[in-house]
């Protein structure tokens, strides 16, 4: 490999004396397809790196650079950085896979950085992720359980691929902010569990897509206990389980955006706001009709909820199996008194799967 000093190589800087870092296999089977890599310590020369070798960073400020033509990861094999001490990453992650001509494309590199920093509790700062073109699973679980990570890197890609950001920051308990997510083209499970249990995160990014994909937002912000503001959800074309559990356990949310879709899908809103105990009013549900399991447990446990607004005019038929019912337990354990706004045509049925007992019905023009 020749020296390309102009490149912004992937770099790791010790923020604590006697930190260590190595790049290695998660399991013995993960050795297949591993390709060349070099490292440079501080201002030294580039040297060939042997998989699983531990690099010592004895002093605060010591740096080690990595570059290579890494193409190892696939759906069944994973390599990962392992760290001790306290370490900040910087530089362009693409120099790990395209050292001599880093581009903004991960095309045909499915799962390339899957779990790359998973469980790196020593990592305080993420490297740059400049890719505009993604591939399936390319960043899947990349920073999962990085509990010292405070800020997320920018994610400029404008077209999602399947699983590309799935689990990406899952269990990053101290992550304060989310990056902008500009894409309007989504694919299955692209954002699934992306920020699950990011306890410290306060605001969610805008989600501009008007057409969503199957399970694309499933538990995306689940149990984000500090989240107070959530984005508009402009999607009018839904898919199976698209919003399943999206804000489950977000205990500080007081207001939710309207849901403009006229047609629902299987489990599309299931558990969407489950246990959002500060939510006082539901978003306006503009759907003309229900779909099996579409709203199961949607507002269950929202103990402050006192107002519901819907546009549909029929409940499920009485002979439907309970497990398939659209609104099964959707208003279980809400406030004991409240107001249910609905079209005049909607029959009056009371219970946790319909209009809560003790609530007043208010007819509105459809």
């Amino acid at each position: 490999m020749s020296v390309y000093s102009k490149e912004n190589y992937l770099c790791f800087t010790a923020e604590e004396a006697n930190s260590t870092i190595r790049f290695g296999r998660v399991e013995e089977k993960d050795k297949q397809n591993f390709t060349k890599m070099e490292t440079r310590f501080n201002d030294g020369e580039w040297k060939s790196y042997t998989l699983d070798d531990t690099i010592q960073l004895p002093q605060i400020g010591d740096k080690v650079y990595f570059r290579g033509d890494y193409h190892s990861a696939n759906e069944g094999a994973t390599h990962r950085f392992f760290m001790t001490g306290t370490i900040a990453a910087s530089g362009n992650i693409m120099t790990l896979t395209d050292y001599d001509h880093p581009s903004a494309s991960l095309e045909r590199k499915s799962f390339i950085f899957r779990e790359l920093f998973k469980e790196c509790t020593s990592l305080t700062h993420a490297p740059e992720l400049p890719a505009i073109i993604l591939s399936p699973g390319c960043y899947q679980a990349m920073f999962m359980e990085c509990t010292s990570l405070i800020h997320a890197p920018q994610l400029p890609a404008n077209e999602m691929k399947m699983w590309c950001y799935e689990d990406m920051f899952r269990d990053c308990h101290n992550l304060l902010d989310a990056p902008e997510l500009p894409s309007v083209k989504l694919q299955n499970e692209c954002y699934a569990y992306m920020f699950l249990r990011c306890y410290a995160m306060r605001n969610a990014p805008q989600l501009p897509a008007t057409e969503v994909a199957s399970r694309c937002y499933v538990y995306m912000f689940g149990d984000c206990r500090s989240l107070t503001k959530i984005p508009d959800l402009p999607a009018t074309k839904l898919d199976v389980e698209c919003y399943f559990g999206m804000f489950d356990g977000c205990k500080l949310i007081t207001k939710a955006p309207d849901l403009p879709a006229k047609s629902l899908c299987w489990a599309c809103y299931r558990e969407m706001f489950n246990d959002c105990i500060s939510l006082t009013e539901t978003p306006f549900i503009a759907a003309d009709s229900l779909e099996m399991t579409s709203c199961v447990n949607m507002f269950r446990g929202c103990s402050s909820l006192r107002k519901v607004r819907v546009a549909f005019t029929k409940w499920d038929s009485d002979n439907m199996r309970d497990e398939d019912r659209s609104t099964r337990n959707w208003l279980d354990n809400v406030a004991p008194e409240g107001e249910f706004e609905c079209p005049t045509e909607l029959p009056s049925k009371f219970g946790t799967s319909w209009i809560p007992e003790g609530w007043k019905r208010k007819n509105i023009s459809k």
Side-chain angles (χ1 to χ4, degrees), residues 45-57:
E45 298 295 321
W46 288 103
K47 297 180 179 179
S48 179
Y49 179 74
T50 301
L51 190 67
D52 287 315
D53 276 0
T54 297
I55 297 173
Q56 304 288 334
L57 299 171

Side-chain angles (χ1 to χ4, degrees), residues 111-184:
F111 303 98
I112 178 71
F113 298 134
R114 178 179 182 263
E115 299 184 4
L116 190 67
F117 299 102
K118 183 181 178 183
E119 299 175 352
C120 283
T121 58
S122 298
L123 187 69
T124 62
H125 194 277
E128 299 168 17
L129 307 182
I132 301 295
I133 300 173
L134 306 182
S135 62
C138 57
Y139 294 142
Q140 187 181 53
M142 186 174 184
F143 299 101
M144 184 174 173
E145 298 181 45
C146 289
T147 53
S148 297
L149 198 64
I150 305 297
H151 303 290
Q154 294 182 0
L155 297 174
N158 53 24
E159 184 172 345
M160 298 295 96
K161 300 297 183 181
M162 286 191 298
W163 317 297
C164 58
Y165 294 159
E166 182 180 25
D167 292 319
M168 188 173 184
F169 300 100
R170 181 172 180 162
D171 290 313
C172 289
H173 299 325
N174 293 300
L175 191 73
L176 292 177
D177 44 36
E180 293 184 11
L181 299 174
S183 179
V184 295

Side-chain angles (χ1 to χ4, degrees), residues 124-273:
T124 62
H125 194 277
E128 299 168 17
L129 307 182
I132 301 295
I133 300 173
L134 306 182
S135 62
C138 57
Y139 294 142
Q140 187 181 53
M142 186 174 184
F143 299 101
M144 184 174 173
E145 298 181 45
C146 289
T147 53
S148 297
L149 198 64
I150 305 297
H151 303 290
Q154 294 182 0
L155 297 174
N158 53 24
E159 184 172 345
M160 298 295 96
K161 300 297 183 181
M162 286 191 298
W163 317 297
C164 58
Y165 294 159
E166 182 180 25
D167 292 319
M168 188 173 184
F169 300 100
R170 181 172 180 162
D171 290 313
C172 289
H173 299 325
N174 293 300
L175 191 73
L176 292 177
D177 44 36
E180 293 184 11
L181 299 174
S183 179
V184 295
K185 295 182 179 180
L186 310 186
Q187 287 195 11
N188 295 356
E189 300 187 62
C190 55
Y191 296 129
Y193 314 101
M194 186 176 184
F195 301 104
L196 179 67
R197 290 189 291 271
C198 288
Y199 295 146
M201 197 167 68
R202 298 162 295 190
N203 295 305
Q206 293 301 310
L207 299 171
T210 57
E211 181 175 339
V212 297
S214 174
R215 295 177 59 83
C216 60
Y217 297 134
V218 63
Y219 286 96
M220 183 178 183
F221 302 101
D223 213 11
C224 287
R225 301 173 184 178
S226 299
L227 196 65
T228 58
K229 186 178 180 181
I230 62 177
D232 290 338
L233 299 173
T236 54
K237 187 174 181 180
L238 308 185
D239 206 335
V240 172
E241 297 184 345
C242 53
Y243 291 122
F244 194 150
M246 186 176 185
F247 301 105
D248 177 88
C250 292
K251 299 182 183 302
L252 297 184
I253 293 174
T254 59
K255 186 178 181 181
D258 290 343
L259 300 172
K262 297 293 186 180
S263 298
L264 304 185
C265 296
W266 176 274
C268 58
Y269 295 152
R270 183 167 184 161
E271 299 181 17
M272 186 175 182
F273 297 99

